[in-house]
Amino acid sequence: MLSRSASTPSTQVSHESCSGTNKPEKCDHQDTPDSTADGALGMEEACDGWSEKNSTPPAEPIPADSGYAWVIVVCAALNLMCTLGVVNSFGVFSTYYINYIYPNVSAASIAWVGTTMSLFMLGGAIATGPLTDRFGFRLVSLAGTAICCVALLLASFTNALWQLVLTQGVMFGIGAACIFSPSVSLPAQWHEKRRPLATGIAVAGSGAGGMIFTVATQEMMDKIGHKWTLRALALILLCASGSAGMFYKRRVAVPRGGVNLGAIAKDPRLMAVGLAGFMVNISYFVPWFYLPTAALKIGQTKQAANNLVLYMNAGSTVGR
């Protein structure tokens, strides 16, 4: 007992000297077995210069392929149904604008509404990605819903074509970008084993939305006119897309320091895929916007012309 109590203070002093500012390259102090047992933790912290409290372990991600992962898929499909559904049903609006609202304006001029809508929706992903990293999927998606609803409401009060281009075209496209990009990327984050299936189900919502909104838009414009149709669509988006966005949640944390977008942009594989996507989308929306108008010019009824958009959306749903 005497030897144990006497050795303990000397052990602590010698270890403090080893861990000071003038610490030697190697700690030469030799401990007795008893003193080593009593001061093992102190020696480890002093000689190694490490402390558990100074390190922050990374947060563990939520397990993938959980039940909530399918909630994300359903919500993403509903959001894409609302955004791309409205965009893909623009052919119905185009036919109505050409024949009833702006009969003296060329179809190419009216197409500016739809083309700016798709341009800002797809091109806006450049900005919505960093916004999602900073503010989260939920806030960005809900902000997009609010922008889309306001855009449709403002479009219902327009009296000139250029006003439609700015509201139903540019403004709605910006809001749709805030919904589109998170809705496409989030299901893949929550799924690993069934990632292709989950992504396919989510993006198939756009085709289903095109069918639903094509029929609904046509019926509403025949009964209540285009202005109240735009207001009704704003209310539908507020309820459906707003509810879906509330369930958005990130599964894995954003990497510390962010993502090196410059390095990613220089990846030749990404450049090839991006160029291919650019070329596809140059011609992708042409049938959606012009096919109903072309059908009318060859003598088809308005109902038959708008049904072409419905058929294309049905094929898109299966294809996706």
Side-chain angles (χ1 to χ4, degrees), residues 27 31 61 77 87 100 111 118 204 220 292 306:
C27 182
D31 295 323
V87 175
Y100 300 103
S118 58
M220 287 190 291
N306 289 332

Side-chain angles (χ1 to χ4, degrees), residues 212-228:
I212 295 171
F213 281 98
T214 296
V215 176
T217 301
Q218 181 177 333
E219 291 293 328
M220 287 190 291
M221 283 199 294
D222 290 339
K223 294 178 180 179
I224 61 177
H226 80 286
K227 291 183 180 294
W228 278 104

Side-chain angles (χ1 to χ4, degrees), residues 34 80 96 201 239 253 282 295 314:
D34 288 341
L80 291 173
Y96 192 90
I201 293 174
C239 297
I282 285 180

Side-chain angles (χ1 to χ4, degrees), residues 9-301:
S10 62
T11 301
Q12 294 175 349
V13 172
S14 59
H15 284 307
E16 290 174 359
S17 64
C18 289
S19 59
T21 55
N22 296 324
K23 177 181 175 180
E25 295 181 0
K26 181 184 290 187
C27 182
D28 297 328
H29 179 76
Q30 300 295 327
D31 295 323
T32 63
D34 288 341
S35 64
T36 303
D38 290 341
L41 182 58
M43 180 177 66
E44 183 179 356
E45 292 180 355
C47 292
D48 293 342
W50 178 89
S51 177
E52 182 69 26
K53 65 181 180 181
N54 293 329
S55 65
T56 303
E60 291 294 331
I62 303 173
D65 303 310
S66 60
Y68 197 82
W70 293 107
V71 175
I72 295 294
V73 171
V74 173
C75 292
L78 188 58
N79 260 331
L80 291 173
M81 183 184 299
C82 293
T83 51
L84 269 171
V86 173
V87 175
N88 289 345
S89 64
F90 178 75
V92 180
F93 278 102
S94 178
T95 303
Y96 192 90
Y97 290 156
I98 290 173
N99 289 278
Y100 300 103
I101 309 301
Y102 303 106
N104 298 322
V105 178
S106 66
S109 298
I110 292 177
W112 275 101
V113 180
T115 52
T116 52
M117 188 189 304
S118 58
L119 171 65
F120 280 89
M121 181 187 69
L122 298 176
I126 299 174
T128 55
L131 287 175
T132 302
D133 289 341
R134 182 170 182 179
F135 298 106
F137 287 89
R138 182 180 302 164
L139 285 180
V140 173
S141 176
L142 292 177
T145 300
I147 295 172
C148 287
C149 293
V150 172
L152 293 176
L153 286 175
L154 292 177
S156 69
F157 293 100
T158 59
N159 296 308
L161 181 59
W162 67 268
Q163 296 171 344
L164 270 180
V165 173
L166 291 179
T167 54
Q168 190 177 0
V170 176
M171 189 174 181
F172 185 90
I174 293 173
C178 296
I179 303 173
F180 173 75
S181 182
S183 300
V184 171
S185 61
L186 191 57
Q189 188 180 111
W190 278 85
H191 288 267
E192 291 180 357
K193 296 180 181 179
R194 298 179 177 87
R195 182 173 294 168
L197 175 63
T199 304
I201 293 174
V203 298
S206 61
M211 290 189 292
I212 295 171
F213 281 98
T214 296
V215 176
T217 301
Q218 181 177 333
E219 291 293 328
M220 287 190 291
M221 283 199 294
D222 290 339
K223 294 178 180 179
I224 61 177
H226 80 286
K227 291 183 180 294
W228 278 104
T229 298
L230 289 168
R231 295 162 191 164
L233 290 177
L235 180 60
I236 294 172
L237 260 68
L238 178 64
C239 297
S241 183
S243 300
M246 291 296 294
F247 291 92
Y248 276 10
K249 182 168 60 175
R250 183 186 299 277
R251 189 182 74 85
V252 295
V254 179
R256 184 172 296 178
V259 180
N260 189 348
L261 297 178
I264 296 176
K266 294 178 182 179
D267 189 332
R269 296 168 298 179
L270 179 65
M271 295 176 65
V273 173
L275 180 61
F278 177 80
M279 299 302 295
V280 167
N281 283 291
I282 285 180
S283 58
Y284 174 77
F285 288 100
V286 173
W288 302 93
F289 298 161
Y290 283 108
L291 196 58
T293 304
L296 288 175
K297 288 187 176 296
I298 61 174
Q300 297 295 316
T301 64

